């Protein structure tokens, strides 16, 4: 018996040490001490071996456009949307595709191998849709790219948005998107949730709405999303992204709302890096945190995945394609400091987000697609603390990225000459 690749001696997220044998694009065995021959052996001893990082909320049509045609001076969501509106007529198919492919290279280097990207359909040319459909095909050997038809300027507010949403879905876009809090009235927002869920039900698609991304405690479109999910039998296929208004809602109302979301099996996708930056901009002090109620949703059995949302675009001037940065910020803003909670933050950028995206082929198990990452960390919590090097990234059985540990040379008398760029705990590995 021989395999194409064996990843030897790594520590799995559950703490077990095992070898992972890969044949073709599939995981063939996971057990300690595999002695069979292999085309290549990757030594992962002492390092965490995990399934790939997953980003369930991104905007690949806007990424890497920071500064085009100008920067967002106020830093608000609404100026970001206005700025994107200025950039949209200037976009070209080639430029959108080139930026998206450049971002996908960053993603692979960081072990981010599954991305759900919204794509704006409010430009009648639908050139971003065409460009990202081409990107989806080109990166398919190494990235699961899922596209959401996103009427950025409002399903009812923007003329042609309904028709363009349907056209995009006809062209092969995977998921139905929306933005009810950006419609002209609460009533239009409610109607848009119903219409979008009905489109998804008719076509057998998933739904992922930008939902209540506002500090207004009375923005309650998530209630309608849970209702329509249940009415149309869409449970398990629907996500509400952002849900930041829930941060500011009345506690009594939330005590009624959370069981309804759980009952409807609607998932939540908070985006901590972006919302800690965008929300609370109209507050003086104290300033509200820009995050929905993550721990409370967990307590009600609601599935939650952390999304990245933006990298270098009209809404966010930073970003690195590292989902561990997202987990790190989410952990802090949601105050998830218990070891079980920290561990959960790792799941929210890996397995929980994969489940929200419906990626049935994901995970470290025999028979699954052989995609994994080797991290310079001892366990998932240390991975969040260090946000370390991705020493090796394997996509569908192929090594697609490798990197050495980075070290600093110290020039101190009597001290070790080199230390790691980020310091692993002594119990995990000697520096
Ligand atoms: Fe978004």
């Amino acid at each position: 018996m021989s395999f194409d690749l064996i990843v030897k001696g790594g520590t799995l997220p559950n703490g077990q040490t095992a070898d992972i044998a890969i044949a073709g694009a599939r995981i063939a065995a996971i057990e300690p001490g595999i002695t069979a021959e292999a085309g290549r052996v990757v030594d992962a001893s002492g390092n965490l071996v995990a399934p790939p990082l997953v980003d369930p909320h991104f905007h690949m049509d806007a990424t890497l456009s920071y500064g085009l045609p100008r920067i967002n001076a106020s830093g608000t969501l609404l100026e970001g949307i206005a700025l994107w509106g200025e950039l949209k007529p200037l976009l070209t198919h080639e430029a959108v595709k080139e930026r998206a492919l450049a971002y996908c290279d960053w993603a692979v280097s960081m072990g981010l191998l599954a991305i759900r990207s919204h794509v704006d359909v409010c430009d009648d040319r639908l050139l971003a849709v065409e460009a990202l459909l081409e990107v989806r095909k080109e990166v398919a050997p190494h990235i699961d790219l899922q596209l959401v038809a996103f009427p950025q300027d409002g399903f009812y507010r923007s003329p042609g948005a309904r028709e363009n949403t349907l056209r995009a879905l006809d062209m092969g876009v995977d998921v139905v998107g929306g933005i009810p809090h950006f419609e002209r009235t609460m009533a239009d927002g409610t109607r848009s949730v119903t219409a979008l869920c009905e489109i998804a039900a008719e076509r057998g698609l998933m739904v992922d709405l930008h939902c209540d991304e506002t500090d207004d405690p009375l923005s309650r479109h998530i209630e309608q999303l849970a209702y329509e999910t249940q009415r149309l039998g869409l449970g398990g296929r629907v996500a509400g992204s952002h849900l930041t208004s829930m941060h500011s809602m009345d506690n009594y109302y939330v005590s009624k709302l959370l069981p309804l979301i759980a009952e409807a099996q609607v998932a939540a996708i908070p985006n901590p890096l972006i919302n800690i930056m965008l929300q609370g901009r109209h507050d003086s002090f104290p300033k509200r945190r820009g995050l929905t109620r993550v721990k409370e949703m967990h307590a009600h059995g609601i599935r939650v995945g952390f999304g990245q949302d933006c990298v270098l675009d009209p809404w966010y001037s930073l970003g690195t394609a590292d989902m561990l940065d997202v987990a790190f910020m989410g952990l802090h803003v949601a105050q998830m400091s218990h070891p079980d909670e920290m561990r959960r933050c790792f799941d929210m950028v890996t397995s929980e987000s994969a489940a929200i995206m419906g990626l049935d082929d994901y995970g470290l198990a025999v028979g699954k697609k052989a995609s994994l990452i080797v991290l310079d960390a001892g366990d998932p919590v240390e991975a969040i603390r260090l946000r370390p090097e991705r020493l090796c990234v394997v996509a569908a059985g192929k090594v697609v990225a490798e990197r050495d540990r980075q070290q600093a040379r110290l020039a101190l008398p009597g001290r070790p000459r080199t230390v790691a760029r980020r310091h692993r705990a002594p119990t995990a590995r000697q520096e």
Side-chain angles (χ1 to χ4, degrees):
M1 180 98 192
S2 83
F3 298 106
D4 296 307
L5 176 66
I6 296 178
V7 178
K8 270 203 102 51
T11 305
L12 307 184
N14 64 10
Q16 291 178 344
T17 301
D19 299 345
I20 299 178
I22 293 167
R26 298 276 141 197
I27 296 176
I30 303 179
E31 55 198 67
I34 295 174
T35 54
E37 295 286 305
R40 178 161 178 204
V41 174
V42 171
D43 178 13
S45 51
N47 295 315
L48 175 64
V49 176
L53 294 159
V54 178
D55 182 358
H57 188 114
F58 195 64
H59 294 264
M60 205 176 277
D61 50 354
T63 196
L64 309 193
S65 69
Y66 178 69
L68 298 176
R70 61 181 176 83
I71 61 148
N72 180 341
S74 69
T76 60
L77 171 71
L78 294 180
E79 184 174 344
I81 293 175
L83 175 49
W84 174 239
E86 292 169 36
L87 177 57
K88 236 187 298 193
L90 310 176
L91 293 176
T92 65
H93 180 104
E94 294 70 28
V96 170
K97 190 172 171 184
E98 191 181 306
R99 289 194 286 260
L101 286 171
Y103 179 79
C104 287
D105 288 346
W106 293 15
V108 169
S109 78
M110 303 309 276
L112 168 54
L113 300 184
I115 303 171
R116 173 182 280 182
S117 174
H118 296 253
V119 51
D120 189 355
V121 297
C122 288
D123 175 349
D124 290 340
R125 300 173 298 168
L126 293 186
L127 68 80
V129 174
E130 284 177 358
L132 290 193
L133 283 168
E134 289 178 18
V135 170
R136 185 180 71 180
K137 196 170 171 190
E138 284 185 32
V139 302
H142 43 275
I143 295 178
D144 283 311
L145 176 58
Q146 199 174 68
L147 299 177
V148 186
F150 177 46
Q152 167 80 72
D153 299 328
F155 186 70
Y156 289 122
R157 187 170 168 180
S158 170
R162 180 188 174 87
E163 190 191 334
N164 288 351
T165 301
L166 296 173
R167 280 171 61 207
L169 296 172
D170 288 342
M171 288 162 69
V173 168
D174 309 276
V175 181
V176 179
I179 185 164
H181 57 274
F182 195 66
E183 302 292 350
R184 287 196 172 85
T185 64
M186 287 289 180
D188 274 2
T190 304
R191 286 201 302 131
S192 79
V193 173
T194 299
L196 292 161
C197 287
E198 286 179 350
I199 290 169
E202 276 164 27
R203 293 174 176 242
L205 299 176
M206 292 187 284
V207 177
D208 187 342
L209 305 186
H210 283 65
C211 195
D212 304 321
E213 189 183 7
T214 158
D215 297 321
D216 175 3
L218 296 178
S219 186
R220 296 177 170 185
H221 297 296
I222 179 60
E223 180 186 271
Q224 188 72 11
L225 185 60
Y227 172 79
E228 295 297 355
T229 300
Q230 199 152 40
R231 180 176 74 86
L232 296 165
L234 295 171
R237 288 159 45 193
V238 174
S241 281
H242 296 292
L243 303 176
T244 47
S245 74
M246 200 189 295
H247 182 95
S248 301
M249 282 174 183
D250 171 73
N251 286 336
Y252 181 84
Y253 174 67
V254 173
S255 76
K256 178 194 170 199
L257 177 64
L258 289 175
L260 293 175
I261 298 171
E263 186 183 55
Q265 293 181 58
V266 171
I269 306 175
N271 297 281
L273 282 174
I274 303 315
N275 289 126
I276 196 68
M277 191 68 111
L278 294 179
Q279 306 310 127
R281 290 274 181 163
H282 299 271
D283 292 357
S284 55
F285 289 93
K287 267 185 199 291
R288 284 167 286 179
R289 291 170 188 236
L291 202 65
T292 192
R293 305 191 190 199
V294 178
K295 290 188 345 182
E296 292 73 12
M297 286 197 274
H298 279 156
H300 282 81
I302 297 165
R303 177 162 271 152
V304 185
F306 280 143
Q308 183 173 216
D309 204 2
C310 304
V311 168
L312 293 171
D313 71 8
W315 296 273
Y316 190 57
S317 47
L318 300 171
T320 61
D322 189 356
M323 292 307 295
L324 294 175
D325 282 349
V326 176
F328 186 80
M329 179 62 79
L331 183 156
H332 283 81
V333 181
Q335 299 182 321
M336 298 181 71
S337 54
H338 187 279
D340 294 343
E341 294 170 344
M342 292 196 287
R343 169 60 208 258
R344 193 84 184 255
C345 288
F346 188 81
D347 296 342
M348 282 194 282
V349 293
T350 52
S351 55
E352 293 291 319
S353 288
I356 290 172
M357 288 177 64
L359 301 177
D360 298 332
D361 214 11
Y362 176 92
L364 296 184
V366 173
K368 299 281 188 191
K369 184 156 77 173
S371 294
L372 57 82
I373 54 178
V374 181
L375 292 148
D376 188 8
D379 58 53
V381 173
E382 191 169 60
I384 294 175
R385 181 173 74 82
L386 299 175
R387 286 147 289 132
E389 304 304 340
R390 306 318 110 103
L391 300 172
C392 183
V393 178
V394 176
K398 301 252 185 327
V399 174
V400 290
E402 290 177 273
R403 188 155 32 191
D404 296 328
R405 300 180 78 211
Q406 285 193 359
Q407 299 199 315
R409 290 184 302 281
L410 296 188
L412 299 173
R415 306 295 298 167
R417 287 187 300 161
T418 61
V419 293
R421 182 176 68 94
R422 299 198 174 186
H423 307 272
R424 286 179 63 167
T427 49
R429 170 184 278 202
Q430 295 297 314
E431 294 294 353

